[in-house]
């Protein structure tokens, strides 16, 4: 669920794949076992798997490493004993990855073509088991892909479980929204969605030809528009995402007009600077535009949306690339493991509140960054 970080391999593990929660204290272990969950318990002497009470390791190096994690973190344990964290109880950046497959192939997507072509869906029963281990009071969870809804109707079994367990958790569903052009899927979704959920859908242009050339998928513009309208009609909260690139930057004012005139009731608009990996990197000559230049071309569109009472957020733009009058819209949106700052940023008095730059984008932007003194 979270990014791959440290990995431990337990040589004494003799079981099949499983999911287990971590306990670093006796009280946490008791709490987890009372909920009938598998537990990895680390005391001062050894690491033990419950309920089997199998000692996985008594090596001090393994103990030192696992104690860098948190109570209630959730892990996969592979058949060879490798431990992979899937939920970080000390983070709001946890997610369920449904599938890498997608029915679009966006020219500026940070994922590469191969991840879509070779994608296999995550087993729904494994996702539900993972969700069973996650604490009921977790504040935020994201559901993402690829395109999550490509796995078909079985995804609604997963949503139903989330709805029944997590009454207070905020959910964000990342989707291209095309599935919601089909009324049947809108109704299935409405019946099973958790209480506090927002659907985030990218809109790439104000007209079919440009949008479909960016998604490289015929009729995606019309499906996306209809999908957004169907969700709004059913009082489902929608975030529209605008990923700015060289291909659509000059259409930005028209995109803003389209949102203002046709999508009444959206939750907010997120204006997103590209992450230059995957397809985006492969097509850099077609899509890359420096952030300062990008912002100089979209400022009026943002002002127009704000003037029309649309909440706008700016993602992935360092503060020095944005006019100071827009700083209140900027979010610190890049995951800690992906964010980078230039040497010049060390002298910036706003570094602590600046979102920085994606690691994959850093070489494109490094010379553009300036300390704000």
């Amino acid at each position: 669920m979270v990014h791959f970080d440290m990995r431990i391999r337990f040589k004494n593990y003799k079981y099949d794949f499983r999911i287990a929660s971590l306990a670093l204290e006796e009280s946490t272990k008791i709490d987890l076992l009372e909920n009938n969950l598998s537990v990895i318990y680390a005391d001062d002497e050894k690491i033990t798997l419950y309920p089997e009470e199998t000692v996985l390791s008594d090596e001090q190096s393994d103990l030192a490493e696992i104690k860098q994690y948190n109570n209630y973190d959730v892990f996969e344990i592979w058949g060879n004993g490798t431990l992979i964290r899937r939920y970080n109880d000390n983070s709001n950046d946890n997610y369920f990855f449904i599938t890498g497959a997608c029915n679009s192939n966006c020219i500026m997507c940070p994922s590469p073509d191969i991840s879509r072509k070779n994608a296999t869906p995550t087993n729904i029963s494994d996702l539900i088991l993972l969700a069973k281990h996650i604490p009921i009071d977790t504040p935020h969870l994201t559901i993402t892909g690829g395109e999550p809804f490509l796995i078909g109707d079985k995804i609604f079994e997963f949503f139903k479980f989330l709805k029944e367990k997590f009454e207070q958790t905020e959910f964000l569903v990342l989707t291209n929204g095309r599935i919601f052009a089909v009324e049947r899927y809108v109704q299935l979704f409405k019946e099973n969605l958790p209480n506090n959920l927002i659907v985030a859908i990218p809109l790439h242009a104000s007209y079919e030809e440009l949008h479909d050339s960016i998604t490289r998928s015929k009729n995606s513009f019309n499906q996306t528009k209809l999908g957004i309208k169907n969700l709004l009609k059913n009082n489902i909260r929608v975030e529209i995402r605008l990923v700015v690139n060289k291909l659509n930057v000059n259409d930005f004012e028209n995109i803003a007009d389209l949102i203002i005139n046709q999508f009444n009731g959206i939750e907010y608009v997120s204006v997103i600077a590209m992450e230059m990996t995957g397809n985006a990197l492969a097509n850099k000559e077609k899509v890359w535009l420096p952030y300062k230049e990008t912002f100089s071309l979209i400022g009026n569109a943002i002002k127009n949306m704000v003037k029309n009472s649309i909440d706008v957020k700016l993602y992935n733009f360092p503060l020095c690339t944005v006019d100071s009058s827009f700083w209140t819209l900027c979010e610190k949106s890049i995951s800690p493991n992906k964010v980078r700052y230039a040497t010049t940023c060390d002298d910036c008095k706003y570094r602590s509140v600046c979102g920085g730059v994606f690691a994959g984008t850093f070489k494109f932007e490094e010379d553009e960054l300036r300390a704000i003194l």
Side-chain angles (χ1 to χ4, degrees), residues 209-220:
E209 181 182 4
L210 179 55
H211 184 282
D212 290 4
S213 71
I214 291 173
T215 64
R216 298 188 287 194
S217 182
K218 188 175 181 181
N219 206 33
S220 59

Side-chain angles (χ1 to χ4, degrees), residues 101-120:
C102 189
N103 54 341
S104 295
N105 186 20
C106 295
I107 194 169
M108 74 310 146
C109 181
S111 297
D113 282 345
I114 194 169
S115 67
R116 280 175 289 279
K117 293 176 181 177
N118 298 335
T120 55

Side-chain angles (χ1 to χ4, degrees), residues 176-177 201 203 205-206 211 220-230 258 262-263:
N176 59 37
I201 299 174
L203 185 67
S206 67
H211 184 282
S220 59
F221 177 69
N222 293 325
Q223 292 169 350
T224 299
K225 278 182 59 181
L226 182 56
I228 294 171
K229 290 179 178 180
N230 282 342
L258 173 66
Q262 295 197 30
F263 300 131

Side-chain angles (χ1 to χ4, degrees), residues 33-66:
L33 288 174
E34 286 179 347
N35 284 283
N36 299 312
L37 300 174
S38 292
V39 179
I40 302 165
Y41 176 52
D43 58 21
D44 292 334
E45 297 180 354
K46 58 187 181 297
I47 302 169
T48 308
L49 180 67
Y50 286 85
E52 293 85 353
E53 299 190 35
T54 300
V55 175
L56 297 175
S57 177
D58 57 5
E59 296 182 14
Q60 287 302 308
S61 59
D62 288 342
L63 278 164
E65 193 158 354
I66 204 165

Side-chain angles (χ1 to χ4, degrees), residues 6-15 18 20-22 24 39-42 46-50 54-67 69 75-85:
M6 297 178 288
R7 291 195 183 190
I8 304 172
R9 183 178 176 185
F10 296 127
K11 298 175 183 177
N12 294 340
Y13 185 76
K14 305 298 182 184
Y15 304 97
R18 74 163 61 186
S21 295
L22 178 64
L24 302 174
V39 179
I40 302 165
Y41 176 52
K46 58 187 181 297
I47 302 169
T48 308
L49 180 67
Y50 286 85
T54 300
V55 175
L56 297 175
S57 177
D58 57 5
E59 296 182 14
Q60 287 302 308
S61 59
D62 288 342
L63 278 164
E65 193 158 354
I66 204 165
K67 287 189 175 183
Y69 293 105
F75 296 83
E76 288 181 356
I77 313 177
W78 297 353
N80 66 359
T82 299
L83 199 69
I84 301 294
R85 182 163 62 169

Side-chain angles (χ1 to χ4, degrees), residues 250-318:
N250 291 320
D251 188 43
F252 227 71
E253 293 192 26
N254 296 325
I255 298 173
D257 288 339
L258 173 66
I259 293 170
I260 293 164
N261 294 322
Q262 295 197 30
F263 300 131
N264 184 45
I266 59 167
E267 197 76 10
Y268 52 87
V269 171
S270 297
V271 180
I272 301 174
M274 285 186 298
E275 180 182 4
M276 293 299 291
T277 57
N279 280 359
L281 182 60
N283 297 289
K284 61 183 182 296
E285 301 301 328
K286 295 179 180 178
V287 301
W288 172 248
L289 201 64
Y291 290 166
K292 285 182 181 178
E293 184 178 352
T294 296
F295 194 80
S296 71
L297 296 171
I298 65 174
N300 287 336
I302 294 171
K303 286 179 182 177
N304 193 25
M305 286 188 283
V306 172
K307 185 176 70 175
N308 282 274
S309 302
I310 293 174
D311 186 11
V312 179
K313 300 182 180 184
L314 293 174
Y315 290 110
N316 311 338
F317 285 94

